[in-house]
Amino acid sequence: MQRHGSGDNAALRMRATGLLLLVAHLLIVGWLTLRPRTVPWVPAPNLQPLASISAELARGPWHAVQSLSGQVLLLAPLGVLLPMAAGRLDVSPLVSLTRTVFAGAMIALAIELLQTGVPGQVPDVDSVLLGTAGVAVAHLAVVPGYRYKLRRRRERLRGTTPRISRVGLAPQADVLSGSRTYL
């Protein structure tokens, strides 16, 4: 029978908190991006990748930073909230990044597809690219270091077997040393 310690409760609380924050963030993003706007005119949708980004860069670097940073920052919290809601500590950093960026890209794409039916909202393929970039940057900036700290804390709380620093292996204890044959 497996005993559940305080570490399992902490992981469950972290997952629940991550899921709650993820839902709250997605509701806010949905409200910001999918509510109808009353505007006198609506520009044509942008389906050419990097067209609106290059147009903003042509107006000057400071103007580009001001106008494009909102699109990058809108979905950036997903880079932290998606892994937090999953609650996995022992996962490859590359796999975690791939999963998170793919999920962020699919959420950004879903938002843009839903915007096609909302009056006053114009879909833009560059919003998908910028939102995905924001998810990737936030994930790379926060998640690997935070997972490392949590794994070290878990090992310290569990009292793991000390390892030989040069080899990276734990010492082996022979339980039945008489039954072993060495050639």
Side-chain angles (χ1 to χ4, degrees), residues 164 170-174 180 182:
I164 301 170
Q172 179 181 357
D174 289 334
R180 288 209 166 172
Y182 299 98

Side-chain angles (χ1 to χ4, degrees), residues 1 40-41 43 47 57-58 70 96 107 110 122 142 144 153 158 164 173 179:
M1 181 171 164
W41 59 273
L47 301 177
L57 287 172
S96 175
I107 291 170
V122 180
V142 175
R153 181 175 175 231
R158 284 187 182 172
I164 301 170
S179 66

Side-chain angles (χ1 to χ4, degrees), residues 45-135:
N46 175 27
L47 301 177
Q48 181 182 4
L50 305 176
S52 61
I53 295 173
S54 61
E56 293 295 334
L57 287 172
R59 296 176 77 186
W62 180 247
H63 186 272
V65 168
Q66 286 179 330
S67 62
L68 298 177
S69 62
Q71 294 177 357
V72 172
L73 295 175
L74 183 66
L75 295 180
L78 294 178
V80 177
L81 294 176
L82 288 170
M84 187 176 172
R88 295 184 179 124
L89 285 181
D90 299 317
V91 66
S92 164
L94 183 61
V95 170
S96 175
L97 177 67
T98 304
R99 282 183 192 154
T100 304
V101 169
F102 180 75
M106 291 299 105
I107 291 170
L109 181 63
I111 289 170
E112 293 302 315
L113 289 175
L114 288 172
Q115 279 184 344
T116 60
V118 178
Q121 297 286 353
V122 180
D124 185 1
V125 71
D126 290 339
S127 295
V128 175
L129 297 174
L130 291 169
T132 304
V135 169

